[in-house]
Amino acid sequence: MSRHEAVSDSAEARRGFLAKLLAVCCGGLATLPPLVAGAWMILDPLRRRGAAATFLPVTDLASVPDDGIPRQFAVVTDRVDAWTGFAAEPIGAVYLRREQGSDTVEALSATCPHAGCFVEIESQGKCFRCPCHNSTFTLDGRIVAPSPSPRAMDGLECQIAKNGQIAVKWQNYYTGIAEKVARP
Ligand code: FES
């Protein structure tokens, strides 16, 4: 091989190396946006983990007769997820109950602690029953054995304003476990 051919081969090899390096860099840059977007979606709920449960207006005292029978009410609020805002969306439901002559209201989440279905009042109004796997609860939320639910219905804090407006501190809890642990 002549000296001229050797120099030409070396320049060719250098050009090939630079072309490969450029391709690798461009490929790496192209994968960055989806990686960043994915990381943002994963981290976003973690970012919002600290958000405290808030009191949301649900109904008024006149709508909860003092006969010991729970009434179901939707919990409605403006909701914002990662990208979109939703005005006045139902985010859950609660049962409110008042004993005879009482001005205090008990609030129970309508979400079944077993796997998250909506608990219903059974036809005779004597207990709650979950249609998914037949968990049964007393009207004040205790488990009636045998039931697959690992815990009683989740009680919620309740406030009654001077004008009779009832607000509930809305919170979701993890299902399928015996402890009542708030979800972020
Ligand atoms: S979800 Fe209610 S019993 Fe299973």
Side-chain angles (χ1 to χ4, degrees):
M1 183 187 294
S2 72
R3 182 170 149 62
H4 177 72
E5 281 170 336
V7 169
S8 164
D9 279 357
S10 153
E12 189 71 28
R14 234 185 352 258
R15 267 199 300 276
F17 172 75
L18 286 175
K20 277 182 194 157
L21 187 65
L22 193 64
V24 168
C25 288
C26 288
L29 281 177
T31 58
L32 262 185
L35 279 178
V36 169
W40 178 259
M41 282 187 70
I42 290 166
L43 292 175
D44 192 48
L46 300 177
R47 218 169 32 84
R48 287 182 284 147
R49 179 159 287 187
T54 47
F55 280 94
L56 297 172
V58 170
T59 187
D60 54 25
L61 207 52
S63 305
V64 188
D66 61 344
D67 56 6
I69 298 173
R71 289 352 190 248
Q72 191 189 102
F73 298 91
V75 178
V76 174
T77 189
D78 298 341
R79 187 169 65 81
V80 179
D81 70 12
W83 315 110
T84 321
F86 304 88
E89 280 252 313
I91 55 167
V94 288
Y95 285 102
L96 301 181
R97 175 174 169 273
R98 193 152 65 106
E99 294 290 0
Q100 197 167 25
S102 171
D103 277 345
T104 48
V105 171
E106 285 172 18
L108 293 170
S109 170
T111 305
C112 180
H114 180 227
C117 293
F118 266 129
V119 171
E120 299 169 348
I121 297 186
E122 61 100 52
S123 56
Q124 309 209 339
K126 298 256 191 306
C127 62
F128 290 108
R129 182 156 291 134
C130 179
C132 289
H133 314 99
N134 273 333
S135 281
T136 308
F137 307 91
T138 59
L139 292 183
D140 58 2
R142 287 170 292 138
I143 297 180
V144 178
S147 284
S149 178
R151 64 173 188 269
M153 289 172 72
D154 296 317
L156 299 169
E157 259 185 80
C158 202
Q159 281 179 348
I160 306 171
K162 283 204 174 73
N163 64 1
Q165 183 76 38
I166 300 174
V168 165
K169 193 172 186 181
W170 177 251
Q171 176 69 63
N172 279 309
Y173 295 92
Y174 285 105
T175 57
I177 55 175
E179 304 79 33
K180 185 181 167 190
V181 180
R183 286 175 51 171

